[in-house]
Amino acid sequence: MEIKVGVLALQGAFREHINAVRKCGVYAKEIKLPEQITCMDGLIIPGGESTTINKLLKKYGFKTYLDNFYKKGKPIFGTCAGLIVLSNDIKGEKAGLGYIDITVERNAYGRQIDSFEESVNLNLNYNLNGKNFNAVFIRAPRILKVGGNVKILGKLNGNIIMARENNILVSVFHPELEDDTRVHQYFIEMIKELKKKGD
Ligand code: GLN
């Protein structure tokens, strides 16, 4: 099955995601214009600055294209700022796109630990479980609440760090900064699974 993954390339860590997807042997393309997502099978919204990404999405008219992509059941993976963009409730701010039923708080890990890494146990399925994943957190958001249909895929010290609701996958950490491509492989498996269902 031929899979095409688009990586939103308006701002943030998109090059690293492109490399990670290619490392999995899958086609990856930088997305700079809304029309470009139409022929993609999956989309990654990278980390960066969620306020900037949101502004650029609006400026370039992405909303309708993203809504269609989401409603068709095509998978979207948001990391860090990308997770904030996809969420339906941001503490003290205007809601995100609302594709996943989570409440988040931006920059919620205190100043001293702006950035840190931790070996975490993820529940990846698709035969991708095994050793721990080295997760890098950079001014990460905290997931405060999730809806009943949200599947929790990883926790650190009681905080949810990775989750999925149907075709939407989110992580508060940056898997694209690691050589370990299992999180990207998980997303690719998700695309294959949902594509098969849709055919
Ligand atoms: N602090 C950023 C925000 O709130 C997210 C940081 C990141 O993506 N690494 O948008």
Side-chain angles (χ1 to χ4, degrees), residues 84 87-96 102-106 108 142 144:
I84 299 168
S87 68
N88 73 345
D89 191 16
I90 308 167
K91 196 179 166 192
E93 292 182 32
K94 236 177 80 208
I102 58 173
T103 303
V104 293
E105 183 181 0
R106 294 179 61 206
R142 198 192 293 271
L144 303 176

Side-chain angles (χ1 to χ4, degrees), residues 47-51 79-81 84 106-107 138-139 174:
E49 199 55 45
S50 54
T51 44
T79 57
C80 206
I84 299 168
R106 294 179 61 206
N107 305 320
I138 305 167
R139 300 184 69 223
H174 285 260

Side-chain angles (χ1 to χ4, degrees), residues 11-184:
Q11 192 260 341
F14 53 87
R15 285 183 198 88
E16 292 81 355
H17 277 292
I18 295 261
N19 291 340
V21 173
R22 289 185 181 156
K23 230 170 122 185
C24 298
V26 168
Y27 176 90
K29 183 186 168 68
E30 285 184 12
I31 302 292
K32 302 227 183 242
L33 297 167
E35 305 85 70
Q36 293 175 315
I37 68 170
T38 318
C39 59
M40 295 294 131
D41 301 303
L43 179 72
I44 296 178
I45 305 185
E49 199 55 45
S50 54
T51 44
T52 310
I53 296 177
N54 272 331
K55 263 188 216 144
L56 294 171
L57 285 176
K58 213 171 172 184
K59 186 172 167 195
Y60 295 114
F62 269 91
K63 176 88 166 81
T64 323
Y65 287 85
L66 285 169
D67 281 349
N68 283 338
F69 197 84
Y70 165 67
K71 281 185 201 139
K72 274 190 178 157
K74 289 192 179 181
I76 309 177
F77 178 22
T79 57
C80 206
L83 166 150
I84 299 168
V85 169
L86 293 171
S87 68
N88 73 345
D89 191 16
I90 308 167
K91 196 179 166 192
E93 292 182 32
K94 236 177 80 208
L97 290 166
Y99 299 166
I100 182 162
D101 189 7
I102 58 173
T103 303
V104 293
E105 183 181 0
R106 294 179 61 206
N107 305 320
Y109 292 87
R111 272 201 155 196
Q112 300 89 329
I113 48 164
D114 258 0
S115 300
F116 60 98
E117 47 185 277
E118 197 70 56
S119 164
V120 297
N121 178 27
L122 301 175
N123 184 17
L124 295 173
N125 297 325
Y126 302 118
N127 287 323
L128 296 167
N129 287 332
K131 62 176 170 42
N132 273 9
F133 191 89
N134 189 51
V136 179
F137 299 80
I138 305 167
R139 300 184 69 223
R142 198 192 293 271
I143 297 177
L144 303 176
K145 216 169 76 194
V146 300
N149 293 324
V150 176
K151 226 171 99 185
I152 294 162
L153 301 177
K155 272 188 173 186
L156 175 64
N157 302 329
N159 293 305
I160 300 165
I161 56 166
M162 186 166 168
R164 171 178 174 180
E165 184 175 13
N166 303 319
N167 55 328
I168 304 297
L169 179 69
V170 292
S171 74
V172 310
F173 59 91
H174 285 260
E176 77 283 6
L177 299 179
E178 286 300 304
D179 283 335
D180 187 340
T181 54
R182 281 179 295 155
V183 171
H184 287 83

